[in-house]
């Protein structure tokens, strides 16, 4: 069955991006000229997902405002003949059917996903972490969410995106114990959240994109607090794995973690370089500037 729904958890505290995230939701911080969360919604729409729930927390009303119609602004831009700006504003409001659910307390990523249960019902669904930006594919790059949906359809099972990360950094991630199935696809034998480096079963880390069966919600309801006192999605997936196989897809393309300052800088540069309107002059600027550094 086609995957039509996505849960976008955006209720985290964003402590790694302070002070910017003190008054502005981290998901609203722009990367080039769009807030991070807009990339997530656009990615869902590209993969054919039309119904989206964003999990928010108090003080994050600007996220909903961003995706609403802004008729006064539209009228003003229209009267001023600013067609390009008008197009950008209308595009955001018309992207998808978006609803919102509040996570009362920041009890963890898994807990945030669980808030999407009523919205999702009994369908398979995608989870898109907006801190991690998957750029729109160019040339023959695979479209990550499209690949995950295709794998879900073939195996009739949950599938998560993974990438190899450096062994030094492995303790920051959910890590899988892989059993190779075919090129780029593994069956997950076990999964552990933020393992000590010497206990990591591999260097394949989960990377913010999931297509999951609805049984995950029952598993999350049975999941106890884990690392950091939070309800971790990884722990919910481990429970689900006792009932169903779960697969991992090793994404060969770029994923930028914009929740971290250094990766945010890398993402800003690389996403700008990929842009048709900005890429060429920005590349020229960077090449000239790098000679002086
Ligand atoms: P992170 O742990 O990366 O986000 O959660 P965070 O807690 O906002 O970031 P730091 O570590 O304090 O800087 C992954 C995703 O899950 C969401 C976050 O918004 C992010 O998209 N999340 C996390 C929630 O929605 N609720 C939570 O309680 C925790």
């Amino acid at each position: 069955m086609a995957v039509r729904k996505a849960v976008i958890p955006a209720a985290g505290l964003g402590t790694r991006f302070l002070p910017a995230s003190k008054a502005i939701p981290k998901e609203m911080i722009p990367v080039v000229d769009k807030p991070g969360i807009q990339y997530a919604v656009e990615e869902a729409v590209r993969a054919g997902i039309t119904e989206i729930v964003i999990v928010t927390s108090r003080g994050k009303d600007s996220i909903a405002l961003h995706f609403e119609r802004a008729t006064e602004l539209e009228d003003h831009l229209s009267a001023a003949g600013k067609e390009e700006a008008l197009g950008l504003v209308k595009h955001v409001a018309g992207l998808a059917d978006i609803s919102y659910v509040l996570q009362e307390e920041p009890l963890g990523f898994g807990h945030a996903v669980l808030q999407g249960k009523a919205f999702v019902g009994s369908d398979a669904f995608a989870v898109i972490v907006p801190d991690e930006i998957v750029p729109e594919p160019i040339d023959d790059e695979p479209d990550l969410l499209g690949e995950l949906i295709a794998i879900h359809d073939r195996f009739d099972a949950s599938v998560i995106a993974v990438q190899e990360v450096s062994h030094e950094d492995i303790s920051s991630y959910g890590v899988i114990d892989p059993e190779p199935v075919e090129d780029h696809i593994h069956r997950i034998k076990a999964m552990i959240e933020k393992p000590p480096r010497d206990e990591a079963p591999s260097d394949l880390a989960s990377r913010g994109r999931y297509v999951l069966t609805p049984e995950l919600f029952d598993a999350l309801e049975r999941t106890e607090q884990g690392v950091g006192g939070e309800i971790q999605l990884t722990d919910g997936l481990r429970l689900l794995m006792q009932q169903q196989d779960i697969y991992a897809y090793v994404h060969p393309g770029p994923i930028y973690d914009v929740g971290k300052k250094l990766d945010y800088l890398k993402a800003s540069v690389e996403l700008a370089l990929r842009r048709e309107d900005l890429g060429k002059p920005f590349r020229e600027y960077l090449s000239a500037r790098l000679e002086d550094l």
Side-chain angles (χ1 to χ4, degrees):
M1 230 186 64
V3 176
R4 295 256 173 261
K5 294 181 177 173
V7 177
I8 302 183
L13 295 175
T15 47
R16 286 170 302 164
F17 222 93
L18 286 166
S21 54
K22 187 173 170 222
I24 301 170
K26 130 179 113 166
E27 299 77 12
M28 286 301 292
I29 294 173
V31 184
V32 187
D33 60 354
K34 293 190 275 195
I37 197 153
Q38 185 176 333
Y39 289 89
V41 171
E42 287 175 344
E43 183 188 343
V45 172
R46 266 203 318 271
I49 290 171
T50 48
E51 295 169 58
I52 294 169
V53 69
I54 299 180
V55 184
T56 59
S57 52
R58 256 177 291 281
K60 295 208 178 191
D61 303 347
S62 56
I63 295 180
L65 281 177
H66 182 69
F67 292 106
E68 269 169 26
R69 289 290 301 272
T71 41
E72 264 182 40
L73 177 60
E74 287 175 23
D75 291 348
H76 178 81
L77 294 171
S78 173
K82 297 191 169 165
E83 294 304 324
E84 197 185 331
L86 179 63
L88 294 173
V89 169
K90 282 186 160 175
H91 163 77
V92 190
L95 270 173
D97 179 2
I98 304 178
S99 47
Y100 299 87
V101 60
L102 196 67
Q103 184 189 25
E104 299 272 353
E105 282 179 86
L107 295 179
F109 173 38
H111 182 263
V113 172
L114 183 54
Q115 307 314 301
K117 181 180 176 180
F119 165 85
V120 168
S122 55
D123 300 327
F125 65 104
V127 173
I128 301 176
V129 174
D131 290 3
E132 305 203 42
I133 295 183
V134 176
E136 187 172 351
I138 38 181
D139 301 330
D140 55 357
E141 287 177 348
D143 193 1
L144 173 52
L145 205 49
E147 295 288 330
L148 294 181
I149 292 172
I151 295 167
H152 163 267
D153 291 351
R154 271 179 58 208
F155 291 87
D156 193 20
S158 297
V159 54
I160 76 173
V162 298
Q163 284 191 321
E164 193 164 328
V165 302
S166 80
H167 193 60
E168 276 65 53
D169 295 335
I170 197 71
S171 304
S172 311
Y173 293 90
V175 182
I176 67 160
D177 186 2
E179 177 184 273
V181 173
E182 55 188 69
D183 205 20
H184 290 289
I185 302 177
H186 299 273
R187 193 183 70 82
I188 303 178
K189 288 193 287 182
M191 207 173 164
I192 175 164
E193 184 64 28
K194 299 188 175 61
R197 225 185 280 171
D198 53 357
E199 287 173 30
S202 74
D203 286 337
L204 287 175
S206 134
R207 293 305 310 268
R209 296 294 180 277
Y210 309 78
V211 171
L212 302 170
T213 59
E215 289 78 21
L216 183 264
F217 292 116
D218 303 327
L220 278 176
E221 277 169 345
R222 290 184 278 120
T223 301
E224 296 182 355
Q225 290 177 340
V227 177
E230 298 188 338
I231 309 280
Q232 299 287 353
L233 184 71
T234 300
D235 296 335
L237 290 171
R238 219 178 27 231
L239 286 182
L240 182 63
M241 229 178 283
Q242 295 171 359
Q243 294 164 247
Q244 305 178 344
D245 280 343
I246 303 183
Y247 292 85
Y249 168 68
V250 187
H251 181 55
I255 304 178
Y256 303 110
D257 183 354
V258 293
K260 288 196 261 184
K261 290 176 188 178
L262 183 59
D263 287 332
Y264 171 83
L265 292 172
K266 293 179 190 170
S268 303
V269 170
E270 299 214 11
L271 288 166
L273 288 173
R274 291 169 78 99
R275 285 266 295 251
E276 263 180 33
D277 52 346
L278 301 170
K280 192 164 174 285
F282 189 46
R283 178 167 282 123
E284 285 165 6
Y285 164 77
L286 283 180
S287 322
R289 186 72 187 88
L290 284 174
E291 283 172 17
D292 303 334
L293 293 175

